[in-house]
Amino acid sequence: MKRTHLFIVGLYLLSSCQAEEGLNFPTYDGKDRVVSLTEKNFKQVLKKYSMLCLYYHESVSSDKVAQKQFQLKEIVLELVAQVLEHKAIGFVMVDAKKEAKLAKKLGFDEEGSLYILKGDRTIEFDGEFAADVLVEFLLDLIEDPVEIINSKLEVQAFERIEDQIKLIGFFKSEDSEYYKAFEEAAEHFQPYIKFFATFDKGVAKKLSLKMNEVDFYEPFMDESIAIPDKPYTEEEIVEFVKEHQRPTLRRLRPEDMFETWEDDLNGIHIVAFAERSDPDGYEFLEILKQVARDNTDNPDLSIVWIDPDDFPLLVAYWEKTFKIDLFKPQIGVVNVTDADSVWMEIPDDDDLPTAEELEDWIEDVLSGKINTEDDDNEDGDDEDDDENEDDDGNDSDEESNDDSDDDDE
């Protein structure tokens, strides 16, 4: 899907004040680090860097708005290239029209997309086109695909990760063929899904892991799922993760927001807005977690949780589009095609729905009793009523005119 929204962290681009040493935010220094990739220089550039960040774009038109949008994206890439200059990452752009042959060779067909070439892998960046988000994404990508856990404190840190999918396996050593299969499987999902491993018996005991076993953790769930039939091949782990990649409750994250939004169920999303830092938002999120845990076996249910604090540039857009107030918790069903939506009536922040009430509302959504099409029909009926009233009014005027004519006669 072509990206139509442009997000830029203004703090990075507009900061020009002198700050105390140690708090100097980077500003673009004017040096060109992003190069145009062509068939002629492709092999040379590829040899120079261990990883390439590649922006595949349509030819820049004469339209001034389009030119400015392109320039802003180019500056974001230049700033990221500047910040990560000490890393072996190359930043390039490919013109879809001028380099059509190269694009076809690389398998690119979606203009406006950002790709990362790492070894024999091509990873599409499906997140917010902002300097800070992209820097964090690339730094995660250059790390090892599997993080090793060796101590009880690291176990505590692992257990605190609750809002994203994670896997952990117990293996004899890094030389184990089963660990190598696990590591290769992790590369398929890096950096979107976190893979962890331990070679420590004490850690394995605390996490109830058996030798060569891998446990899968769905976001916000109390219990993990052991992947069946251990030991596993790389393909078996990849297949299992893909089958369970859509959680019952998932957080919309800046680094993969478009991928999440495109993964709808029958053209709709059940969307919940809640600020975790706000007491009411926190309470509502806890209710959502309970609903998700009670319905984790329902393949037709997947709730997208959005914390407005993660997307400050989108708050006004969402409030206008969905006609809701994001200063309080909300849950609704959204049609991804036209953004039509229907929202549960929550009259008061102090009277949030119970888990049972929320489940009843969700059941009505899944059964079709509550849907965005009904809202369209109601609007259509209102328009028809207005038209009928106009017609009736016109008929009355005509009758009045006829009566006047009779009187004159």
Side-chain angles (χ1 to χ4, degrees):
M1 182 176 69
K2 188 174 179 180
R3 315 299 178 223
T4 55
H5 297 291
L6 178 65
F7 305 95
I8 297 176
V9 177
L11 186 59
Y12 280 159
L13 300 181
L14 301 178
S15 172
S16 58
C17 341
Q18 196 66 30
E20 294 290 338
E21 286 302 321
L23 287 177
N24 284 329
F25 277 93
T27 54
Y28 179 43
D29 60 10
K31 182 180 176 181
D32 293 334
R33 295 175 178 84
V34 181
V35 301
S36 294
L37 193 66
T38 65
E39 264 201 296
K40 190 175 181 180
N41 67 3
F42 174 67
K43 289 184 179 179
Q44 181 184 355
V45 172
L46 206 58
K47 285 180 182 178
K48 187 177 179 181
Y49 301 102
S50 61
M51 197 163 76
L52 273 187
C53 181
L54 187 153
Y55 178 47
Y56 177 58
H57 64 90
E58 62 182 354
S59 291
V60 184
S61 68
S62 58
D63 180 70
K64 288 185 178 180
V65 174
Q67 288 177 358
K68 286 184 179 180
Q69 289 176 342
F70 176 78
Q71 289 166 2
L72 287 170
K73 286 199 172 186
E74 188 177 16
I75 289 176
V76 169
L77 288 177
E78 288 286 4
L79 183 59
V80 174
Q82 177 183 321
V83 171
L84 299 178
E85 193 169 18
H86 60 297
K87 305 292 183 182
I89 305 174
F91 291 82
V92 299
M93 294 190 294
V94 175
D95 189 302
K97 186 176 181 180
K98 294 178 181 178
E99 297 300 330
K101 194 173 178 182
L102 176 61
K104 186 177 180 181
K105 177 182 177 181
L106 295 173
F108 300 157
D109 57 4
E110 197 172 322
E111 296 172 8
S113 294
L114 193 69
Y115 298 96
I116 290 85
L117 307 185
K118 182 185 180 185
D120 58 354
R121 293 180 61 215
T122 299
I123 303 115
E124 183 175 1
F125 175 71
D126 261 327
E128 179 183 348
F129 205 112
D132 57 340
V133 177
L134 191 50
V135 166
E136 185 176 0
F137 180 86
L138 293 171
L139 288 175
D140 285 343
L141 199 50
I142 61 178
E143 291 180 356
D144 292 333
V146 178
E147 187 172 339
I148 307 302
I149 293 181
N150 294 313
S151 67
K152 290 183 179 179
L153 282 176
E154 289 177 342
V155 170
Q156 289 178 17
F158 168 81
E159 290 175 335
R160 288 184 179 181
I161 302 171
E162 67 159 3
D163 61 355
Q164 55 186 292
I165 294 173
K166 59 186 179 182
L167 292 91
I168 187 165
F170 174 39
F171 306 97
K172 187 175 181 180
S173 70
E174 289 187 10
D175 297 324
S176 163
E177 64 176 301
Y178 304 118
Y179 171 73
K180 291 186 183 299
F182 182 72
E183 189 176 36
E184 288 167 1
E187 290 180 354
H188 289 263
F189 304 99
Q190 188 189 17
Y192 294 116
I193 295 178
K194 304 296 184 185
F195 280 64
F196 299 84
T198 187
F199 311 116
D200 185 284
K201 290 182 180 179
V203 170
K205 184 177 180 181
K206 185 166 180 58
L207 293 170
S208 303
L209 283 168
K210 298 176 182 178
M211 181 62 72
N212 297 322
E213 182 179 86
V214 174
D215 279 6
F216 177 93
Y217 288 77
E218 183 180 338
F220 305 110
M221 296 298 149
D222 293 326
E223 302 295 331
S224 62
I225 305 169
I227 299 180
D229 304 322
K230 67 179 180 71
Y232 328 97
T233 63
E234 172 192 348
E235 292 74 21
E236 288 170 339
I237 297 172
V238 169
E239 184 181 355
F240 184 90
V241 173
K242 285 183 176 179
E243 287 178 0
H244 296 78
Q245 204 167 347
R246 182 190 290 138
T248 310
L249 177 62
R250 48 184 166 168
R251 182 176 189 170
L252 192 71
R253 305 181 298 176
E255 62 266 32
D256 59 358
M257 56 188 291
F258 293 107
E259 181 181 30
T260 300
W261 198 252
E262 289 168 6
D263 184 33
D264 56 83
L265 279 165
N266 302 317
I268 65 166
H269 276 304
I270 295 176
V271 177
F273 287 98
E275 288 184 50
R276 183 180 246 164
S277 60
D278 175 76
D280 292 323
Y282 179 84
E283 181 185 351
F284 191 58
L285 180 59
E286 291 301 308
I287 297 170
L288 289 171
K289 290 180 190 178
Q290 185 58 53
V291 171
R293 288 167 187 151
D294 292 344
N295 295 272
T296 186
D297 294 327
N298 186 346
D300 296 323
L301 177 61
S302 185
I303 303 168
V304 178
W305 164 48
I306 302 177
D307 189 331
D309 287 345
D310 292 335
F311 304 94
L313 293 179
L314 277 173
V315 170
Y317 164 77
W318 279 327
E319 288 188 326
K320 182 180 179 181
T321 302
F322 300 142
K323 299 177 178 62
I324 55 175
D325 177 9
L326 291 185
F327 283 96
K328 65 178 185 178
Q330 303 279 0
I331 186 167
V333 53
V334 177
N335 186 312
V336 299
T337 304
D338 54 15
D340 275 357
S341 60
V342 177
W343 299 85
M344 183 180 189
E345 190 173 340
I346 303 176
D348 196 331
D349 295 0
D350 298 327
D351 188 23
L352 294 173
T354 64
E356 291 76 17
E357 290 170 336
L358 210 51
E359 282 188 36
D360 290 342
W361 186 87
I362 289 171
E363 283 178 12
D364 287 343
V365 171
L366 296 180
S367 68
K369 187 176 179 181
I370 296 174
N371 65 78
T372 60
E373 300 305 318
D374 285 348
D375 188 50
D376 287 342
N377 291 336
E378 287 173 8
D379 292 342
D381 291 341
D382 291 340
E383 290 175 6
D384 290 341
D385 291 341
D386 292 340
E387 289 176 5
N388 290 335
E389 287 175 8
D390 291 341
D391 291 341
D392 292 342
N394 291 335
D395 291 342
S396 298
D397 291 342
E398 289 173 5
E399 289 173 3
S400 299
N401 290 335
D402 289 342
D403 291 341
S404 299
D405 292 343
D406 292 340
D407 291 340
D408 291 341
E409 288 176 2

